[in-house]
Structure formats: structure tokens, C-alpha cells
Amino acid sequence: MRALVKTSPAPGLELTELPDPTPGANDVVVQVFRTGICGTDLHIDSWDEWAARTVPTPLVIGHEFAGEVVAVGSAVTQAQVGDFVSGEGHLVCGTCRNCRAGRRHLCANTRGLGVHHNGAFAEFAVLPEQNVWVHREHVDPDVAAIFDPFGNAVHTALTFPVVGEDVLITGAGPIGLMAACVARHAGARNVVITDVSEHRLELARRVGVDLAVNVAETGIADAQAKLGMSEGFDVAMEVSGQPSALRETIENMAHGGRIAMLGLPAEHFRIDWSAVVLKMLTVKGIYGREMFETWYSMSVLLQSGLDLSPVITHRFPCTRHVEAFETARAGRCGKVILDWTVR
Ligand code: ZN
């Protein structure tokens, strides 16, 4: 099979031939139709400090995918050949306290598909049966390929109730855009999104936010004034990882406000903790998806009419992976999809 491989501990990726995988007893083999490029894949491609200390080589990278089950292991009970599936990229231990309590998203021994184990940027991927999500209703293959990051967005957007609330989202990358779609669909009053890229803010306007704010030019307080708000945001979603975004968010929260934090800051930074105390704010870290409550929510949101199509902006055959990665890295895009069904 063809696979996109980090062949050695250095920058770059190679589209190369590998033997087709065979399933272990509890595994399924999926013929991959489409994959989505994630920021994680860009880090592994460029081989930054994080990648160098985290990723073993050689490794098939990638964790956002959709495809069809073509083989199942001897102990597999539910998944069947022919099922159309997406994949949960977090491989959990199954034996720690959180796993045994059904809180698998809190497993401290989580390993990543395409990060620690061979991933999905290939014609075939192998993963545990419990990590596939079978689509019972029709889902567009491109949308199915991004269920993993869509899940990050849903987990973030639905962590706190948003019905009738004023919602601030800092960061208009693909996850911020999808979180905006979900907050809007779920009944938020005002949805405000911030970024410093006009291109991404324009995408945000297309998905129906009330205000897309370029924070290089204007402040979030001005956005409140523009919308006739006076008491601050009820719910915030920090998806940029930028220290300035969290600081400005805290300044603009209503008393009793709640902040869901998915953006991963690169370094330690200072915030005004006295404001957190005096405003009685809740700050909650979000990582991955709840297994598999978030996945139910995702399927139901799509069935009830949520439209993610504006978030997917580029599609490339897997043979043009270099161009696809360059596009994703340049940031003038939403989600970038690779198609593995073309020669
Ligand atoms: Zn565990």
C-alpha cells in the first residue's frame, strides 16, 4: 500500500510503499478514502522540538480519516466488513481508573494514532475496534474524515451550556470555525470570533458568526459595544493557544463566566488571576473528545442540519501531499483534505 511516512528523525515526509497491514485479534483494517491534515501533522512534518522528543521513526503519520472496514480480527464483535467509519485517534489503556470508570478521555496513558503508533495517511489503516465510529446515516466522506477535529470543536462548544448565551471564540482556525458553527446551531445568542488573519475571519463570516474581529486592529471590548453588550461574555472558547487571547478573554468575561480552553500554549505565561477570582470564572481544559459521548453529539448535530461544508476549503490527491501540507501551513485555508482513492 502507499503510505505517507516519516522515514527518519528529520524534516520531511515520504510517500512510499509498505506491506498491507493485517489486524490483531481486537483490530479492524480500514481502507482509507479521505484524510484531514492537522496541525500535529505539520509539527511532525517540520520535525520541531515536540516531534523530535515524541514521535518514533519510521512512522505512518495522520489521525484524521474516514474509510471502509475491509478486515476484522478474530475477537472483533461489532464492526463489520463494509462499515463506513471514522476513527478516534486517541488510543487509551483500558485498565486505569478513569478508563474503567468509562471516562476514557481522561486516560493518563493515552497514545496517539499517527503520533506514537502507525497512523492513517495510507491506503489502509489498522486500529482497535473500539476506536472506530460506524456511520449509520449518510455522511459526506470529506466531513467524515474530519470527525476527530470536529469532535474537539463539539467537545469545546458543548462543555458549557450555550443556549441564549453570548459566546466568544478566540481563534478562527478550523476548530474555532467548527466550534462557531456548533455554538450557533445549538442556540447561542451572539457568537463572536477573533483572529489576526483576514482570510480566516472571512471564512468565519461565511459560517454565520455575528461578528468576526481582527484583534490586530481592534479590541474585544469594542465588539461588545458594537453588539450592544455591556456585561461581558457568558461562555468563551480559547482555541488559539495565544497568551494575549486568554488575557483579553478574561477581561471581557461576565461575572460567573465559563472558559473552555482547547488551544495549547507553547510556553508558560501570566494571566490576571485576581480577575478569575473576583469574576468567579470557571476555566476548563479540553483535550480530544469524550469517548464516545462527543461522537454521538457529532452524528446527531449533522443529522439535525449542522453544515460543516464551508470549513473544508481544499482537496488534494495523496500524490500531491507536499502541496497540501504547504497549503495547510500557509494558513489561508480551512480544512485541507487528502484523497487516498486516486492513483
Ligand atoms: Zn486508561
Side-chain angles (χ1 to χ4, degrees):
M1 66 171 185
R2 290 176 301 173
L4 198 52
V5 181
K6 172 64 76 178
T7 52
S8 63
L13 296 164
E14 221 177 296
L15 188 63
T16 184
E17 282 289 330
L18 291 180
D20 290 351
T22 50
N26 294 299
D27 297 334
V28 300
V29 178
V30 177
Q31 183 188 352
V32 176
F33 296 161
R34 309 284 163 79
T35 59
I37 297 177
C38 172
T40 303
D41 304 318
L42 302 179
H43 289 295
I44 297 174
D45 177 28
S46 63
W47 204 246
D48 63 10
E49 202 185 312
W50 168 83
R53 72 170 184 270
T54 310
V55 178
T57 59
L59 185 87
V60 179
I61 76 154
H63 58 274
E64 300 177 3
F65 73 97
E68 187 177 307
V69 175
V70 290
V72 298
S74 57
V76 166
T77 57
Q78 301 296 315
Q80 293 182 2
V81 170
D83 282 346
F84 179 55
V85 298
S86 295
E88 163 58 61
H90 283 178
L91 309 167
V92 299
C93 77
T95 56
C96 71
R97 177 183 170 182
N98 278 323
C99 279
R100 296 193 68 185
R103 301 183 294 261
R104 285 183 277 186
H105 62 294
L106 296 177
C107 175
N109 307 313
T110 298
R111 311 284 285 165
L113 193 73
V115 176
H116 303 102
H117 292 273
N118 275 336
F121 285 5
E123 285 173 300
F124 297 98
V126 58
L127 73 169
E129 176 191 19
Q130 68 165 10
N131 279 69
V132 295
W133 180 256
V134 179
H135 294 290
R136 302 289 174 200
E137 310 267 333
H138 172 77
V139 177
D140 178 273
D142 291 347
V143 171
I146 60 166
F147 254 50
D148 183 292
F150 175 36
N152 288 330
V154 169
H155 189 187
T156 307
L158 299 185
T159 276
F160 300 118
V162 294
V163 177
E165 302 286 40
D166 293 330
V167 173
L168 172 65
I169 300 167
T170 45
I175 291 178
L177 292 172
M178 288 190 277
C181 293
V182 173
R184 172 97 298 157
H185 189 80
R189 183 171 68 163
N190 289 310
V191 179
V192 175
I193 197 162
T194 69
D195 208 286
V196 292
S197 155
E198 248 332 297
H199 185 85
R200 288 187 155 167
L201 292 167
E202 199 42 54
L203 272 179
R205 290 180 191 110
R206 244 178 278 164
V207 306
V209 300
D210 295 282
L211 211 51
V213 180
N214 189 334
V215 281
E217 293 165 2
T218 180
I220 295 170
D222 297 334
Q224 282 205 57
K226 221 175 202 175
L227 292 166
M229 292 172 52
S230 57
E231 296 194 20
F233 289 91
D234 307 295
V235 175
M237 303 167 198
E238 205 310 279
V239 291
S240 73
Q242 294 297 321
S244 57
L246 183 61
R247 291 191 190 112
E248 202 177 349
T249 292
I250 290 169
E251 287 168 20
N252 283 279
M253 293 305 288
H255 284 230
R258 293 147 168 189
I259 303 171
M261 225 182 130
L262 175 114
L264 207 52
E267 288 171 357
H268 296 191
F269 64 90
R270 302 166 77 93
I271 60 164
D272 181 1
W273 281 104
S274 68
V276 174
V277 173
L278 294 171
K279 289 185 170 186
M280 293 163 278
L281 302 179
T282 302
V283 180
K284 186 179 176 194
I286 308 286
Y287 182 60
R289 301 138 298 278
E290 289 192 3
M291 294 169 224
F292 276 80
E293 197 58 18
T294 305
W295 292 76
Y296 278 97
S297 302
M298 287 189 264
S299 286
V300 169
L301 284 163
L302 292 177
Q303 283 163 27
S304 63
L306 181 79
D307 180 17
L308 291 182
S309 56
V311 177
I312 299 169
T313 55
H314 293 77
R315 295 165 176 84
F316 294 93
C318 60
T319 47
R320 286 167 60 197
H321 64 92
V322 173
E323 204 180 334
F325 270 66
E326 277 170 7
T327 302
R329 197 182 300 283
R332 290 178 61 82
C333 58
K335 267 329 265 195
V336 179
I337 302 288
L338 286 174
D339 185 341
W340 289 85
T341 62
V342 289
R343 290 306 305 185

